[in-house]
Amino acid sequence: MILGRDDAQALTKKILALSKADSCCVSISGTEERYLRYAQNMATTAGSPSSLGITVESHFGMRTGSATGSDTDDDSLAALVAQSEQIAKLAPENPEFMPPIGPRKYVTGTGFSPATQAATSDMLAAAVKPVLQQAEAKSIQASGFVDIGTSFSSFGNSAGLFVYDQQSEVLHTVTVRTPDGTGSGWAGATHCDFSKIDIAGMGASAVDKAVRSQKPVRLDPGKYQVILDPSCVFDLMSWMISYFDQRSADEGRSFATKKGGGSRLGEQLFGKNVTLYSDPNDPLVPGTIYSDDGLPAQKQMWIEKGVLKNLQCSRYWAKKMKLNAVPSPTSLTLAGGTATTGDLIKQVKRGLLITRFWYIREVDPQTVLLTGLTRDGVFLIEDGAISKPVCNFRFNESPVAMLNKVVAMGPSVRAYGEESVGLPVAVPQLLVDDFTLSSVSDAV
Amino acid sequence: MGGCACATLLPSALFLGERNALAIAAAEKLDLPAKLKLAGIAIDTAKAGGASYADFRLCRYQTEYLECREHRLEESSAGVSAGFAVRVLLDGTWGYASSPLATEDEVRRVAARALEVAKASQPLQTRKFVLEDLPVYNDSWDMPMKADPFVVPSDEKIARMLAATEAALKAGANYATLSFAFVREEKFFASSSGSRIQQTRVRCMPDGEVTVVDEATGRFSSRASLAAPRGSGYDYILGYDFAGEFAKAAEQAHEKLKAKPVTPGKYDLVLDPTNLWLTIHESVGHPTELDRALGWEANFAGTTFCTPDKLGKLQYGSKLMNIVADRSQEGGLSTVGYDDDGVRAIGSEFHIIEDGVFKNYQMAIGQAQLIGQPRSNGCAFADSWDSFPIQRMPNVSLQPNPKPCSLDDLIGDVKHGIYIIGNNSWSIDQQRHNFQFSGQLFYEIRHGKLGPMLRDVAYQGSTVEFWNSLDGLGDKSTYFLGGAPNCGKGQPEQTAPVSHGAVPGLFRGVNVLNTERKDLS
């Protein structure tokens, strides 16, 4: 359910008027979606879900309580406010409580697309049909998912702040498998504008990878020079950003902790060719215009030329440590280079092209060591050219370490992977030295 | 007709009584006649639009979340999420729509939207979905429990949590967190076949961790709580000694900092059920889902090595291996009367693995006939009112050894091995062959005796080889019910709660890694 700015603001004012607390915050969000899921070259499920959520957070002194509901009638809103107040009154004081902030200035959001909001289920089916036709023409099986959604969110409080944002997202992913069970290819992308996403092109890419990945050879595990497609880099950056936390570093439980205490802000922890930042108006990955507690999202450097520049920092921790608050990112960009895939392949004497990762989990938070697997297409590169498909591997590697071993990179593109943390992410294809592959997987 | 759940009354605070009265009033906004009327409108609209089958689910989820950190309450929140969905089968094509607004006009609009969505997909429907005939039920089922967590005062819960985090600090921890999450799930289901089913169940989900830091070396170590999420009342929380566990966890986290790094190689592993339940989930639960075998999850969760030609033939594990699927186990997160297709689930247990042989898949409606089976075995689940029901796991549990066998007996049978407690870091490939799991605590086993603590242990294996190396199993006295509140599958992704019972198992010659990366430290 989508509320426009005026309706969301009116609802926020109505809720704030009901509040008897010392201070109060109101968050409202809603979505309208349409999706189509297909497998084995046919539709499997299709839907059109809709949601609405209203959260009221009440404060009495340093006591806080919150309640969430979805009904907007007067009685339900009054009950919601009363419930949050009762929870707050019963809560012990939180010495880390921070009062709501006053009005702020925000950038103008650029993540909404009328074309996406207007898209219909017929249009989804029409967009997917060429993918199935390509697969059928080659007697192979396509499975995929296309999801278009419009969402809104607003945040208001008793200190006079109100902010509203509307976003659109289109997601399409497709996996194509060969009938002999030895080949599999994947493609996936997101965009805010339905008219700009090339679903048929993704189908063609997945078909091509599936055909080329058939009958892979088994290589020994070990350290390899690898080219990581943007999907893989997306997954690793999405994991890594969650470790960029000032408090964890100051408390001694982070890769960014200095031996003997304190954080490693300002240190050259990564290669000089690495720059990672967030920008809510990045044209590739426009993000939500506000973040934690209603703080404005703004351009924020995390790594600049390899130097650790900032870590996420709550308002409480910033006050205690005399730092600036750094809200959570609403988008993420790893700056890229200019190399094409062909340029990168030519630089590899013996290495691997990895197109997708799967099931990544933390092994050691101290070093951000992660494990996961390759999937849907791994290719051996010999003497600057792809020579053959190879079996999948399990990897045990740290993105923090990996960003010290980047040899070359392509341009940054809007990417998608399965380890999404809900942020739009732009990353390049990377050529990386000494990537640790710990065992072989028989999965295709 | 299931019995009504009766909560044991606990000491209550005046304010809390008022608060819960509000929440419960919100939860009971629609009485049964109103639900039946809305269901009738949805199904009539679907039928008038040509649907051969339709169902209507109206759900309400009441939640409470509390989180403590060290000496303070970090979060106290409550919520209600409610809405309905209409699912239609139109000339063999599924369509689905949902809304949070449960009014008659909105039900008509949403049913029409579901028909529109199905019609749009029909050009892609090269094989029509066909549903089996299912028995019709008019029933209600309520999860039995002693103490309803939603009538227990928050201050009782907060005091219990702070007692645990403070016990950890007193025992030398630098940091400690503990959260309690509670869910009451109320579902009303009606189908065009004539079923009308109301169900209520509750989940208690504790989660916590203790951390110690050695500033001199810059190293830190954590020990997560072994408390499992359960489909239980608050009596489960009352029966768990969080303060005792957190004090012990602080000592163990210190011990982990000084533990000996493991030497990589082949070891006999004794896996505690607090570790083994997750290995069962990943390497037995997921591979035996029929939708994966049919290729319907190829684009996300993956397919499976366990193809239909292996049914009744594959020696999945040693003869000690018996895995049973149920939806009736006390405390089980998947325990329920009827699944979200309206298939009777309770009392329909089946073997997935019997004496080591692969015997049955888990199924939802519209799948069984594709492998020559008569009907679904009741494994459908939708994680919300706005989600499409898909095949999800029932409780999938490793059966105890019928012969007496203790944990000590298993350890006593190992010359050179490791005993692993708790789970941590899990990953498996998309066809469920290659896995890597870690744990919370690792102890060396030498000549049948437990030795010192080890660190940086993870074991890797391939599913069938691993389960065929099973050479010892605890008896029923060693049984433990683990589980996960958030198993992900499907697109859009849904998270399902699922339990796994297990006993300790002895596995021979498993590959163990040392996960420390000295080049990264």
Side-chain angles (χ1 to χ4, degrees):
Chain A
M1 189 172 290
I2 302 299
L3 301 184
R5 183 189 173 90
D6 291 348
D7 288 341
Q9 190 159 21
L11 186 56
T12 300
K13 279 184 180 169
K14 193 178 202 178
I15 293 168
L16 290 172
L18 292 165
S19 172
K20 299 181 184 72
D22 296 344
S23 57
C24 181
C25 301
V26 179
S27 305
I28 308 174
S29 62
T31 59
E32 290 276 1
E33 270 181 89
R34 286 179 184 266
Y35 69 83
L36 168 62
R37 196 176 190 207
Y38 56 97
Q40 304 280 323
N41 296 349
M42 67 170 195
T44 52
T45 55
S48 177
S50 159
S51 68
L52 181 72
I54 305 162
T55 299
V56 179
E57 184 180 288
S58 296
H59 316 124
F60 291 95
M62 299 176 90
R63 302 172 195 273
T64 298
S66 76
T68 300
S70 52
D71 291 331
T72 55
D73 60 274
D74 290 352
D75 289 348
S76 297
L77 294 178
L80 196 63
V81 172
Q83 190 181 14
S84 74
E85 291 177 354
Q86 285 157 7
I87 294 170
K89 283 175 183 170
L90 282 166
E93 289 193 338
N94 181 357
E96 298 190 5
F97 170 75
M98 294 293 289
I101 60 172
R104 294 288 197 275
K105 285 190 177 168
Y106 301 92
V107 298
T108 302
T110 51
F112 173 70
S113 157
T116 302
Q117 192 171 33
T120 63
S121 296
D122 286 327
M123 291 162 75
L124 295 190
V128 163
K129 196 162 187 181
V131 177
L132 304 190
Q133 286 170 335
Q134 291 172 59
E136 280 161 9
K138 294 202 182 260
S139 301
I140 54 182
Q141 292 143 353
S143 304
F145 178 61
V146 57
D147 188 10
I148 54 172
T150 299
S151 62
F152 82 95
S153 63
S154 69
F155 181 84
N157 64 33
S158 52
L161 181 150
F162 179 79
V163 57
Y164 174 91
D165 195 22
Q166 203 168 6
Q167 296 268 322
S168 309
E169 188 174 45
V170 184
L171 165 68
H172 177 247
T173 57
V174 53
T175 302
V176 173
R177 295 176 61 78
T178 58
D180 66 356
T182 70
S184 184
W186 177 89
T190 64
H191 203 285
C192 59
D193 187 341
F194 183 61
S195 66
K196 302 259 174 69
I197 196 154
D198 180 9
I199 289 177
M202 278 185 262
S205 170
V207 167
D208 176 59
K209 283 183 212 167
V211 170
R212 289 194 294 114
S213 67
Q214 279 178 285
K215 299 185 173 57
V217 298
R218 202 177 173 92
L219 295 185
D220 288 337
K223 284 186 184 286
Y224 283 84
Q225 189 176 53
V226 298
I227 296 172
L228 299 178
D229 266 0
S231 166
C232 305
V233 182
F234 171 105
D235 285 342
L236 296 177
M237 293 304 100
S238 295
W239 264 94
M240 191 182 76
I241 195 65
S242 65
Y243 294 86
F244 275 49
D245 180 67
Q246 184 73 47
R247 184 168 185 168
S248 297
D250 292 334
E251 288 180 341
R253 40 180 172 165
S254 163
F255 79 94
T257 297
K258 194 185 287 186
K259 275 183 191 170
S263 80
R264 302 180 71 182
L265 275 181
E267 290 188 26
Q268 184 87 39
L269 295 186
F270 308 92
K272 287 185 177 172
N273 54 356
V274 173
T275 293
L276 181 72
Y277 62 91
S278 298
D279 180 354
N281 282 150
D282 187 322
L284 275 178
V285 282
T288 307
I289 61 171
Y290 69 95
S291 183
D292 317 330
D293 299 341
L295 286 169
Q298 52 200 6
K299 187 157 183 178
Q300 188 72 58
M301 200 58 79
W302 306 107
I303 303 169
E304 188 170 23
K305 294 178 181 170
V307 175
L308 181 64
K309 298 297 281 188
N310 281 292
L311 297 166
Q312 297 168 58
C313 185
S314 69
R315 288 194 297 136
Y316 165 75
W317 197 251
K319 184 181 169 195
K320 179 181 166 78
M321 303 301 284
K322 299 185 172 53
L323 299 166
N324 291 323
V326 180
S328 309
T330 65
S331 68
L332 194 63
T333 301
L334 180 64
T338 55
T340 64
T341 301
D343 295 338
L344 296 178
I345 290 171
K346 278 182 196 160
Q347 292 186 53
V348 179
K349 184 157 177 53
R350 189 171 190 276
L352 299 170
L353 169 62
I354 297 174
T355 62
R356 190 186 179 196
F357 283 152
W358 165 248
Y359 215 141
I360 300 175
R361 290 294 178 271
E362 174 190 282
V363 176
D364 183 1
Q366 183 105 40
T367 53
V368 198
L369 181 66
L370 307 175
T371 191
L373 295 120
T374 67
R375 174 176 174 176
D376 303 320
V378 183
F379 301 92
L380 180 64
I381 304 168
E382 292 177 294
D383 298 323
I386 288 178
S387 60
K388 61 190 77 152
V390 298
C391 291
N392 283 306
F393 290 96
R394 171 172 295 287
F395 71 82
N396 281 50
E397 189 53 87
S398 163
V400 174
M402 182 192 80
L403 291 180
N404 268 301
K405 298 182 288 190
V406 176
V407 176
M409 57 181 87
S412 195
V413 296
R414 183 166 178 152
Y416 181 75
E418 300 301 353
E419 302 293 337
S420 171
V421 288
L423 303 179
V425 176
V427 291
Q429 196 175 35
L430 296 180
L431 172 59
V432 175
D433 276 341
D434 292 335
F435 197 84
T436 308
L437 301 168
S438 60
S439 61
V440 176
S441 160
D442 291 322
V444 174
Chain B
M1 205 49 90
C4 192
C6 294
T8 299
L9 289 176
L10 293 161
S12 60
L14 178 64
F15 289 127
L16 235 292
E18 194 181 336
R19 168 190 158 189
N20 280 289
L22 278 167
I24 290 164
E28 291 173 351
K29 219 167 215 182
L30 289 173
D31 58 14
L32 182 59
K35 291 175 187 171
L36 289 168
K37 188 170 184 191
L38 293 178
I41 291 168
I43 290 166
D44 289 348
T45 306
K47 279 183 172 172
S52 59
Y53 171 86
D55 58 34
F56 170 83
R57 274 184 311 112
L58 189 146
C59 310
R60 193 164 276 266
Y61 301 85
Q62 186 181 356
T63 57
E64 182 180 20
Y65 181 77
L66 300 156
E67 183 179 339
C68 288
R69 179 184 162 149
E70 286 94 63
H71 299 287
R72 65 191 176 83
L73 174 70
E74 188 143 282
E75 183 176 341
S76 175
S77 60
V80 172
S81 172
F84 72 93
V86 180
R87 178 171 68 159
V88 302
L89 191 64
L90 182 70
D91 194 22
T93 304
W94 284 115
Y96 176 82
S98 67
S99 169
L101 193 63
T103 64
E104 294 181 16
D105 285 348
E106 183 70 352
V107 169
R108 282 188 196 92
R109 188 194 70 78
V110 167
R113 173 67 71 92
L115 288 164
E116 175 217 316
V117 166
K119 197 173 174 189
S121 299
Q122 279 181 335
L124 311 182
Q125 202 67 56
T126 49
R127 184 183 61 72
K128 294 178 180 182
F129 283 99
V130 178
L131 305 185
E132 60 268 46
D133 288 331
L134 294 171
V136 173
Y137 299 99
N138 275 281
D139 202 357
S140 70
W141 180 88
D142 294 294
M143 190 194 88
M145 63 177 161
K146 290 178 186 160
D148 182 346
F150 290 92
V151 301
V152 175
S154 295
D155 47 5
E156 198 285 334
K157 296 165 184 163
I158 294 164
R160 190 167 294 274
M161 295 163 76
L162 287 173
T165 53
E166 285 170 355
L169 299 177
K170 199 174 169 188
N174 296 87
Y175 307 103
T177 58
L178 177 58
S179 64
F180 285 171
F182 304 100
V183 179
R184 179 204 303 282
E185 177 187 289
E186 298 170 80
K187 288 184 174 178
F188 170 76
F189 172 89
S191 73
S192 56
S193 312
S195 284
R196 301 288 185 272
I197 300 163
Q198 289 209 101
Q199 303 190 91
T200 302
R201 57 182 184 160
V202 164
R203 296 190 276 281
C204 292
M205 297 170 287
D207 187 27
E209 187 176 72
V210 166
T211 301
V212 297
V213 175
D214 182 347
E215 276 201 9
T217 62
R219 292 185 59 235
F220 63 93
S221 135
S222 298
R223 205 286 243 164
S225 170
L226 305 179
R230 291 271 169 84
S232 299
Y234 196 72
D235 31 302
Y236 167 57
I237 299 289
L238 290 173
Y240 196 94
D241 179 13
F242 288 98
E245 188 198 14
F246 272 54
K248 194 172 172 189
E251 293 166 13
Q252 289 169 333
H254 274 290
E255 200 180 343
K256 275 172 95 169
L257 276 179
K258 295 172 193 156
K260 187 172 82 171
V262 70
T263 303
K266 298 271 185 190
Y267 288 83
D268 290 349
L269 298 184
V270 176
L271 301 180
D272 193 78
T274 55
N275 177 271
L276 189 53
W277 73 261
L278 183 52
T279 308
I280 295 165
H281 174 89
E282 299 287 16
S283 68
V284 185
H286 280 307
T288 57
E289 295 173 320
L290 183 55
D291 56 353
R292 298 178 72 113
L294 294 172
W296 297 358
E297 283 287 337
N299 187 49
F300 177 54
T303 57
T304 174
F305 71 89
C306 215
T307 46
D309 57 299
K310 296 186 173 73
L311 202 55
K313 296 175 191 160
L314 175 67
Q315 192 69 42
Y316 206 108
S318 77
K319 291 197 170 180
L320 283 171
M321 183 188 188
N322 282 281
I323 302 272
V324 169
D326 78 82
R327 305 202 77 170
S328 48
Q329 193 168 170
E330 186 180 345
L333 291 163
S334 291
T335 296
V336 73
Y338 299 83
D339 77 355
D340 285 335
D341 289 333
V343 175
R344 186 166 172 81
I346 204 152
S348 57
E349 294 76 17
F350 57 93
H351 269 86
I352 293 177
I353 310 291
E354 190 169 18
D355 298 332
V357 177
F358 171 41
K359 287 289 187 181
N360 281 296
Y361 282 109
Q362 308 150 56
M363 299 182 284
I365 59 169
Q367 300 177 351
Q369 67 270 35
L370 298 173
I371 56 162
Q373 302 279 333
R375 65 183 60 84
S376 162
N377 48 18
C379 298
F381 177 73
D383 69 349
S384 164
W385 50 268
D386 67 354
S387 298
F388 189 104
I390 58 174
Q391 185 280 310
R392 300 311 308 263
M393 274 183 227
N395 305 307
V396 173
S397 301
L398 176 63
Q399 302 305 294
N401 191 338
K403 296 176 187 167
C405 182
S406 67
L407 176 63
D408 286 344
D409 292 338
L410 294 176
I411 290 169
D413 198 19
V414 173
K415 281 185 185 163
H416 172 60
I418 302 171
Y419 172 47
I420 301 180
I421 299 171
N423 58 74
N424 191 17
S425 189
W426 54 97
S427 172
I428 188 166
D429 70 44
Q430 77 278 10
Q431 287 190 313
R432 305 279 148 174
H433 294 283
N434 175 306
F435 60 72
Q436 178 175 310
F437 296 106
S438 186
Q440 289 298 321
L441 300 167
F442 316 100
Y443 295 92
E444 192 171 19
I445 304 173
R446 282 278 181 190
H447 303 294
K449 302 281 181 199
L450 274 188
M453 190 184 276
L454 300 171
R455 66 173 166 94
D456 305 324
V457 176
Y459 60 97
Q460 281 189 354
S462 189
T463 295
V464 173
E465 183 186 346
F466 171 79
W467 282 103
N468 275 286
S469 77
L470 176 65
D471 195 31
L473 207 54
D475 62 26
K476 64 182 179 184
S477 69
T478 64
Y479 190 78
F480 168 81
L481 186 64
N486 55 350
C487 170
K489 187 179 168 187
Q491 289 178 303
E493 188 172 359
Q494 299 187 38
T495 56
V498 54
S499 287
H500 299 283
V503 290
L506 165 55
F507 296 83
R508 299 290 186 189
V510 181
N511 189 35
V512 167
L513 315 178
N514 181 318
T515 60
E516 186 182 28
R517 287 283 300 273
K518 287 188 175 145
D519 57 319
L520 307 180
S521 301

